[in-house]
Amino acid sequence: MSGVLDVAKQVYLSVRRRATPAQTTKTASSRTIRWHTSAVSAVAFFKDGRHVVTGSRNLRIWDVQTRELLERPFEGHKDWVRSVDVSSDNKRIASGGKDTTIIVWDVETRQMVFEPLVKHTGWVNSVCFSPDGRKLASGSLDSMIVLWDMETGAVLTILHGHSSWVLSVAFSPDGLKLASGGSLDGTIQVWRTDNAELLLEIKAHENLITSVVWSHDGQQLVSASSDHAVKFCNSSNGDQIGEPCIGHTDSIDSLATSSDGSFVATSSSDKTVRLWSTKSHQQIGQAFEHTARVCFAAISPNGDVLVSGDDEGKVQLWSIESILAAAFALDSSYDSFFAHRSKAKLGRYLYPEALSDAEMVIELNPSSYRGYELKHAALHGAQRYDEAIEAFHIMLSKLDDAPDPRIRQLRQQYVSPSEAYDTIRRAIDAHLENAPLRLVHTFTGHLCDRQAQLDAFMTSTEYKEILSSSTTPLHMESITGAVSKYFSWVMLSHRWKSKEPRLFDIQDKDLYTLDPVGAMVKLQKFCAVARDAGYRWAWSDTCCIDQNNNVELQESVNSMFIWYRHSALTIIYLSDVRTSSKCGALARSTWNTRGWTLQEYLAPNIVLFYKADWTLYLDDRSPNHKESFAIMQELEGATGIHARALVAFRPGMRDAREKLRWASSRVTTLQEDIAYSLFGIFGVYLPVIYGEKKQNALGRLLQEIIAHSGDITALDWVGKSSKFNSCLPADITAYKAPPCRLPSLSEDEMQISVSALRNTVALEAASELYTLLDNLSAPRFANTRLQLPCITFLVTEVRRRRCQNLQSCFTYDVKSNGLQDLLITTEDKLAQFSRTKPTQQTFLLVRPWNRHDLGLPDFADDAYSTNESEPESLLDDSPSDSPSENEMFDLGSQSLRLIVSLGQPPFGVLLLAQQRGGEYKRIASDHNITAQVKHMASVHDMMNVRTLEIL
């Protein structure tokens, strides 16, 4: 008897704690209701547990809590209703009758969904909806099983396998299998539902099988029989599991299982309903008694109510908890059951029910850590994080105080809140390293500095969720992701207007409550759009930088590219693109002409363009306009930047000349900003010195590029020289013209030329030149002076041409040693001289040395690239084809290739004039200066290799 009582205790405790307040129905331990005048032959719960449908000569729906009928009955069968089921969405009822028909009802309208379904020739004893409600299975005394399409009411397939009656059909929990039982030979058959294949036949009983159900996990089949027994078997191989449930004294007529699979209920011709443990297969508590044969029984989805119907038309409503409560008193030995139950509920995301069981574990065994561990998990899942953290603290203390050293050892599996905090803080610091110093909180409208951002996080639900979830050895990736999500920010790119709101205009104020006038409207709209997109933080250059703080201004200018780069989204506001604008309006927007907007577009990974009315440009609702072909095509045409760079730009000094061209047509309000706005694009960090003027600012930038990359393409420009250094331009517009693309030799032409030189050029001299050039260092700057390695050609004659129309420019015929004669046009007035009338000042034509001519990599930063092909330029005229692998290891062949590349195609040169201190200055020209050697075989003409200091 004690074993039976133990089982009863387990089920009682599970039922007592399983239901939530909203689900629990308040019933007496037993309540008899009689609405039918004939035998109740079918019962089914709705999936919400609030209503029950019963079948006799008609169908009735009644409320479980109030025990009142809901409107009129469903009438349509011509004889007894033998079976009933409710669809998973509670919208349909299916009933099978002695009249051999099946009727599918619409619950709301109480009308038939189809005409009665006719295929069987015997009583329809069982109907069952598939879990998704798309199919219906029916079993009949005619030995057939029929699968019906619930979209059309058509027959999908007919299953023939049983030798006689089919009394029960049941879909597996996943809907992929169907079990059937009933034959007089006591077999259960398992079918595939997609192709009607018979998978398994199980000899379960000696007599008629009256009912068969699946366990909640689909691993077992439970069957009842006229042999008075309930049996459990493996659904994969048919092996019997444990002993049968024995206790009824007459045929068992129906079988039901609880939703969690902990117990089953049976109804019998012996006028009783009994509960059985699925674990021990023992009867739980006392039998529930009727005064007549009990035809059917059903268990509510939450397991606290049992409904049964008998031959006298009575419906009995039982409270399982009330019935079992009197059987025993609680004791602490049952906490493991509740722990198991709580874990199962957690796995099904039933957090209130899991919490209820966890609290029972604590009540039964308050000194154990286990209940608090489960309570923490349930509270965390229910998003009650403060309480979850408190439960976790208590759990740790229980582990620390446990008398069993093995339990104390478990403490090492968990992370203390202080450790979790330290890890979270490190993730925050790493993330904010690339974040703006100030951000607008889009939910509150307040401007927050770094400390205010941290304070907001520490009091947020998100922080508590992270802290509550950080209980075991931490996975930095998950913490980093959660931190990144909270602190993600949106950047604004726009064209400044007059009277933009500044920091002091919104500091300590809710910007949403400020007067929506002028540029304030733009800021308010931007923050609202960011907020509505789910982002908590937003940044605008108008109000998020303290312009009066030089240290902050310096850091902001140098960090702005990084801020845009790491933003979750950049919103580009086109104030001059109207609502009705079509494709092409973006290209014409003034936003495309501004200096700062170049990096504001290139840096972010995700951008969205908004028109003046804050609707999306071209009504393109894709999550990233960098993925819009139409927008990228339009932007490429407007900026001259290749679409690949527009979509996936990488900062750095590579392709410097091309990046300078991108900026050459843009303007800034402050002249120095034309250089400062490029700091991030080139990946440099330089002092911000407003008032230094643009030549100095641009000069410092170009100096940094050349000094650190060795890329001499920045010397490829036409126009005026800078006062910073004569080799650099006075204005960014000097890069507007595309680099001069001089012809290069094909590989066939190179091979022919190399063969021709083998008999005319001394290999020793060629190799000497190759070694000399290979040993040259990269160009470098020191105190605004350029140290430029180059091949020099002495100018021997300069003569000005007569009859020039433009008095501001002069054209000169220039001769030099080793080069063909050439023309140079410049604003500088040069002294005329010749070999017969020499001058004291030395002039040189120099070819800045480019390591590409040796087939070697240049000094540019290979770590960053726009992913575009290497641009050809005035100072980069290397052949497009590379030598073969054998020639790469032949110094003689390499040397001859060098002579060909230096001597045959034209190349760019600079005109330099020597100064009194021995340094040189570049004489600027309004055209590219191209030169070509007189005789390719005259190696000695190219041997004057020097590193010149240029002012």
Side-chain angles (χ1 to χ4, degrees):
M1 182 65 185
S2 62
V4 174
L5 187 59
D6 286 344
V7 173
K9 288 181 180 180
Q10 288 185 346
V11 175
Y12 164 67
L13 294 176
S14 90
V15 169
R16 182 181 180 214
R17 286 299 185 184
R18 186 183 311 128
T20 64
Q23 292 175 311
T24 302
T25 54
K26 298 178 180 179
T27 64
S29 60
S30 174
R31 176 68 182 269
T32 302
I33 306 168
R34 185 163 187 165
W35 288 314
H36 294 283
T37 57
S38 302
V40 179
S41 53
V43 176
F45 269 97
F46 280 72
K47 300 306 182 278
D48 60 7
R50 299 181 183 278
H51 302 103
V52 168
V53 56
T54 56
S56 181
R57 290 188 176 275
N58 53 35
L59 297 178
R60 295 175 181 267
I61 299 177
W62 44 282
D63 187 286
V64 174
Q65 185 171 358
T66 65
R67 295 171 294 282
E68 294 180 355
L69 283 172
L70 301 181
E71 301 183 18
R72 65 185 187 279
F74 294 75
E75 296 183 341
H77 286 285
K78 298 177 182 179
D79 207 333
W80 293 83
V81 174
R82 295 290 302 168
S83 54
V84 67
D85 194 24
V86 180
S87 63
S88 58
D89 60 6
N90 294 325
K91 294 182 178 180
R92 290 182 176 184
I93 297 172
S95 58
K98 287 179 66 175
D99 60 4
T100 74
T101 68
I102 298 166
I103 299 177
V104 180
W105 309 87
D106 182 281
V107 174
E108 184 177 357
T109 64
R110 295 180 176 270
Q111 300 297 313
M112 297 182 189
V113 178
F114 318 109
E115 291 296 317
L117 306 180
V118 178
K119 193 65 179 178
H120 291 289
T121 58
W123 297 0
V124 181
N125 284 305
S126 182
V127 291
C128 181
F129 282 104
S130 63
D132 59 11
R134 296 180 178 180
K135 297 177 183 177
L136 181 76
S138 59
S140 168
L141 295 186
D142 60 11
S143 77
M144 289 195 308
I145 302 165
V146 181
L147 291 180
W148 308 84
D149 186 339
M150 287 295 94
E151 292 292 326
T152 64
V155 174
L156 292 172
T157 188
I158 299 176
L159 307 178
H160 295 283
H162 290 282
S163 60
S164 59
W165 303 343
V166 177
L167 298 182
S168 181
V169 291
F171 279 99
S172 61
D174 59 12
L176 300 179
K177 298 177 183 178
L178 182 76
S180 59
S183 289
L184 294 173
D185 59 7
T187 62
I188 300 170
Q189 294 180 348
V190 180
W191 310 80
R192 278 184 56 166
T193 57
D194 56 349
N195 62 7
E197 176 188 356
L198 179 60
L199 298 174
L200 184 65
E201 186 171 71
I202 306 169
K203 177 63 175 176
H205 296 267
E206 296 300 325
N207 295 325
L208 183 72
I209 293 178
T210 56
S211 186
V212 61
V213 297
W214 294 81
S215 62
H216 72 293
D217 59 6
Q219 300 299 308
Q220 297 183 32
L221 285 166
V222 188
S223 58
S225 169
S226 59
D227 63 7
H228 313 173
V230 175
K231 293 186 177 181
F232 299 77
C233 62
N234 187 306
S235 63
S236 297
N237 57 26
D239 292 345
Q240 183 172 320
I241 300 173
E243 296 298 317
C245 301
I246 302 297
H248 284 290
T249 59
D250 205 336
S251 172
I252 300 175
D253 297 318
S254 74
L255 175 68
T257 183
S258 62
S259 59
D260 64 0
S262 64
F263 65 95
V264 297
T266 54
S267 66
S268 171
S269 296
D270 67 5
K271 305 179 185 180
T272 67
V273 177
R274 301 172 190 254
L275 301 181
W276 309 88
S277 167
T278 57
K279 183 177 181 180
S280 67
H281 300 177
Q282 298 183 58
Q283 183 175 323
I284 302 170
Q286 299 298 316
F288 305 163
E289 296 185 353
H290 278 254
T291 58
R293 182 177 75 96
V294 188
C295 307
F296 224 97
I299 302 170
S300 63
N302 65 358
D304 66 343
V305 176
L306 176 72
V307 173
S308 55
D310 63 22
D311 272 350
E312 295 177 344
K314 296 192 296 290
V315 175
Q316 201 86 347
L317 184 67
W318 310 88
S319 169
I320 296 175
E321 178 181 348
S322 298
I323 294 297
L324 299 181
F328 54 87
L330 291 177
D331 65 61
S332 62
S333 63
Y334 297 100
D335 65 314
S336 60
F337 173 82
F338 284 105
H340 176 76
R341 175 62 55 82
S342 183
K343 289 179 181 178
K345 295 300 183 184
L346 288 171
R348 298 171 61 190
Y349 310 110
L350 302 175
Y351 299 117
E353 294 90 335
L355 176 61
S356 181
D357 280 344
E359 288 176 336
M360 180 56 75
V361 175
I362 295 171
E363 180 182 338
L364 294 172
N365 194 352
S367 63
S368 172
Y369 77 94
R370 186 185 305 173
Y372 292 100
E373 179 185 40
L374 294 167
K375 183 176 182 179
H376 164 262
L379 288 168
H380 180 84
Q383 300 181 4
R384 295 161 59 179
Y385 300 121
D386 285 326
E387 297 170 85
I389 295 169
E390 181 181 359
F392 183 68
H393 277 256
I394 298 174
M395 185 204 78
L396 293 181
S397 68
K398 296 295 182 182
L399 287 171
D400 291 334
D401 298 338
D404 188 338
R406 292 172 299 178
I407 299 297
R408 292 198 301 272
Q409 188 72 17
L410 296 177
R411 174 64 178 82
Q412 299 178 6
Q413 299 178 7
Y414 299 95
V415 176
S416 69
S418 61
E419 292 173 307
Y421 171 82
D422 291 342
T423 302
I424 294 169
R425 186 55 195 260
R426 287 195 297 271
I428 294 172
D429 292 342
H431 183 79
L432 294 183
E433 185 177 351
N434 297 315
L437 305 175
R438 287 186 175 83
L439 290 165
V440 175
H441 197 304
T442 62
F443 295 177
T444 67
H446 289 98
L447 183 65
C448 298
D449 60 14
R450 183 63 53 80
Q451 187 57 52
Q453 296 167 40
L454 291 171
D455 291 343
F457 176 67
M458 291 303 178
T459 58
S460 69
T461 301
E462 288 80 1
Y463 167 69
K464 295 173 183 176
E465 179 182 6
I466 298 172
L467 190 61
S468 175
S469 63
S470 304
T471 59
T472 55
L474 303 178
H475 299 290
M476 280 299 295
E477 185 175 344
S478 61
I479 292 179
T480 300
V483 168
S484 177
K485 182 179 179 181
Y486 179 89
F487 284 103
S488 60
W489 65 89
V490 180
M491 302 286 280
L492 176 65
S493 176
H494 64 118
R495 169 74 170 95
W496 276 51
K497 298 293 185 181
S498 60
K499 297 182 179 178
E500 291 279 356
R502 300 302 183 96
L503 182 142
F504 59 81
D505 293 319
I506 68 169
Q507 199 164 27
D508 301 323
K509 300 172 185 176
D510 177 355
L511 68 84
Y512 294 122
T513 64
L514 300 177
D515 290 340
V517 295
M520 181 62 73
V521 177
K522 175 173 60 177
L523 179 61
Q524 291 169 333
K525 283 285 190 180
F526 161 63
C527 292
V529 168
R531 177 196 62 204
D532 294 344
Y535 297 102
R536 183 175 279 98
W537 305 104
W539 185 91
S540 172
D541 54 358
T542 60
C543 60
C544 293
I545 300 175
D546 186 351
Q547 306 284 345
N548 297 320
N549 185 325
N550 289 332
V551 174
E552 182 176 333
L553 184 61
Q554 166 88 17
E555 182 174 353
S556 298
V557 170
N558 276 284
S559 303
M560 210 171 294
F561 184 95
I562 295 173
W563 296 348
Y564 277 95
R565 186 65 151 190
H566 291 273
S567 66
L569 168 68
T570 290
I571 288 176
I572 298 173
Y573 179 61
L574 308 172
S575 60
D576 54 355
V577 175
R578 300 302 165 192
T579 304
S580 58
S581 297
K582 305 298 182 184
C583 187
L586 168 59
R588 296 187 296 270
S589 173
T590 57
W591 175 85
N592 266 319
T593 68
R594 306 303 299 174
W596 283 105
T597 59
L598 178 61
Q599 77 163 359
E600 291 168 7
Y601 176 82
L602 292 176
N605 293 308
I606 300 175
V607 302
L608 290 175
F609 288 92
Y610 281 83
K611 296 181 290 188
D613 63 351
W614 287 95
T615 59
L616 289 165
Y617 182 59
L618 301 184
D619 198 30
D620 187 328
R621 301 187 180 278
S622 60
N624 186 3
H625 283 173
K626 284 196 173 188
E627 298 174 355
S628 167
F629 176 78
I631 294 178
M632 289 304 96
Q633 190 176 43
E634 181 179 353
L635 204 56
E636 181 179 19
T639 62
I641 304 174
H642 197 285
R644 284 176 295 176
L646 290 173
V647 172
F649 175 77
R650 298 182 66 190
M653 296 179 182
R654 183 144 186 159
D655 302 328
R657 178 60 174 77
E658 180 69 2
K659 294 171 184 174
L660 291 167
R661 184 184 67 81
W662 297 345
S664 62
S665 298
R666 295 177 177 260
V667 295
T668 56
T669 301
L670 299 178
Q671 57 178 300
E672 298 90 347
D673 279 343
I674 198 62
Y676 300 164
S677 64
L678 299 176
F679 284 3
I681 288 175
F682 286 103
V684 302
Y685 191 99
L686 292 172
V688 175
I689 313 170
Y690 282 106
E692 66 175 326
K693 305 304 180 185
K694 66 180 177 181
Q695 287 196 28
N696 204 67
L698 182 60
R700 289 195 297 115
L701 172 63
L702 297 175
Q703 171 182 268
E704 188 77 2
I705 294 170
I706 296 171
H708 282 80
S709 71
D711 185 354
I712 59 173
T713 60
L715 306 182
D716 178 6
W717 52 270
V718 294
K720 294 183 179 181
S721 292
S722 171
K723 295 177 180 178
F724 183 87
N725 184 281
S726 63
C727 257
L728 304 178
D731 196 282
I732 194 76
T733 57
Y735 294 109
K736 187 177 296 185
C740 181
R741 290 181 170 85
L742 297 174
S744 59
L745 298 177
S746 68
E747 182 60 25
D748 288 341
E749 292 170 328
M750 174 64 74
Q751 294 290 353
I752 292 172
S753 299
V754 168
S755 298
L757 283 179
R758 288 189 185 275
N759 299 321
T760 58
V761 172
L763 284 178
E764 183 179 353
S767 298
E768 181 183 351
L769 177 60
Y770 185 97
T771 303
L772 187 63
L773 293 172
D774 188 21
N775 290 330
L776 282 177
S777 59
R780 62 187 184 276
F781 266 94
N783 298 321
T784 75
R785 295 181 177 221
L786 173 62
Q787 307 295 320
L788 182 65
C790 52
I791 302 173
T792 65
F793 302 89
L794 179 66
V795 175
T796 58
E797 184 174 324
V798 174
R799 291 187 181 276
R800 190 172 71 185
R801 290 197 170 188
R802 298 177 180 272
C803 302
Q804 299 185 64
N805 295 324
L806 298 176
Q807 297 301 315
S808 59
C809 291
F810 306 93
T811 301
Y812 297 91
D813 291 298
V814 177
K815 297 179 184 295
S816 64
N817 291 336
L819 295 180
Q820 297 179 15
D821 297 347
L822 64 155
L823 294 177
I824 295 177
T825 301
T826 178
E827 292 184 0
D828 294 334
K829 190 173 182 179
L830 304 180
Q832 300 184 70
F833 62 92
S834 65
R835 292 182 186 275
T836 59
K837 295 181 179 181
T839 179
Q840 293 183 348
Q841 188 176 22
T842 300
F843 290 86
L844 299 176
L845 287 170
V846 302
R847 177 176 186 168
W849 177 236
N850 188 341
R851 287 172 59 83
H852 279 295
D853 291 329
L854 288 178
L856 299 174
D858 62 17
F859 296 97
D861 181 7
D862 289 326
Y864 300 101
S865 172
T866 61
N867 294 324
E868 298 181 81
S869 59
E870 186 74 28
E872 298 180 44
S873 74
L874 171 65
L875 304 174
D876 184 7
D877 47 35
S878 58
S880 58
D881 295 309
S882 58
S884 67
E885 184 176 350
N886 290 334
E887 287 183 316
M888 286 296 292
F889 295 96
D890 182 350
L891 180 58
S893 295
Q894 285 187 347
S895 301
L896 292 177
R897 292 179 70 95
L898 173 64
I899 298 302
V900 173
S901 65
L902 292 177
Q904 188 162 329
F907 53 89
V909 294
L910 307 178
L911 177 60
L912 304 182
Q914 190 176 35
Q915 306 302 298
R916 292 184 178 181
E919 309 93 342
Y920 288 84
K921 275 193 174 182
R922 177 176 175 175
I923 298 174
S925 172
D926 63 353
H927 291 87
N928 293 319
I929 307 175
T930 59
Q932 191 166 8
V933 298
K934 289 180 179 179
H935 304 290
M936 183 170 57
S938 300
V939 179
H940 65 276
D941 288 337
M942 295 179 276
M943 293 294 286
N944 192 3
V945 178
R946 303 162 59 186
T947 296
L948 302 178
E949 184 174 30
I950 304 174
L951 301 178

